[in-house]
């Protein structure tokens, strides 16, 4: 039996085709429970473009696609189920470097990146805080 597509995955698909309101997408990400792989006692992340990206997945199928590329086939991948809001509001600020959320990165035509900017992460850790007139980054 196939599971229904996660609401966040549906919003991402709509946004990638030019539809949907970006604020609605961010709101859906904040309300969604994401599956975040564990690695070496912490959350799986990658660094790219000067940003540390926490990798989250909308469902077990999306996580499995990622696991097939990043683990040996005979080893299960441990993961944490975390609310998107917790990732961007608590975990990203604790990184001590610019950080964002990368969703469904192993899903062709289905990934979405939520960068460290005002409106996604707290102003204090947003890389564009000064540009947005929200005050300096501390």
């Amino acid at each position: 039996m196939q599971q229904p597509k996660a609401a966040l995955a549906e919003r991402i698909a709509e946004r990638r085709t030019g539809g949907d309101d970006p604020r609605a997408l961010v709101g859906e990400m904040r309300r969604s429970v994401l599956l975040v792989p564990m690695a070496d006692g912490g959350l799986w992340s990658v660094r790219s473009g000067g940003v540390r990206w926490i990798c989250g997945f909308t469902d077990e199928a999306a996580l499995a696609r990622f696991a097939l590329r990043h683990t040996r086939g005979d080893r299960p991948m441990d993961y944490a189920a975390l609310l998107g809001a917790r990732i961007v509001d608590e975990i990203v600020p604790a990184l001590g470097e610019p950080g964002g959320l990368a969703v469904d990165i192993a899903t062709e035509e289905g990934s979405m990146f939520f960068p460290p900017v005002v409106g996604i992460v707290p102003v204090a850790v947003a890389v564009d805080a000064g540009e947005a007139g929200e005050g300096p980054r501390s």
Side-chain angles (χ1 to χ4, degrees), residues 35-40 42-47 53-73 75-80 102-108 111 113:
L35 308 179
V36 182
M38 304 294 289
D40 301 323
L43 300 177
W44 185 288
S45 66
V46 295
R47 284 186 180 86
W53 299 96
I54 303 294
C55 301
F57 299 89
T58 56
D59 58 26
E60 289 180 342
L63 176 62
R65 284 188 290 277
F66 175 80
L68 285 172
R69 295 179 183 172
H70 295 283
T71 63
R72 290 191 349 229
R75 297 195 59 187
M77 178 173 270
D78 292 330
Y79 63 89
V103 176
D104 288 351
I105 61 171
T107 302
E108 193 171 327
S111 62
F113 291 80

Side-chain angles (χ1 to χ4, degrees), residues 91-98 137:
I91 296 169
V92 165
L95 294 175
E97 62 184 298
R137 180 177 177 187

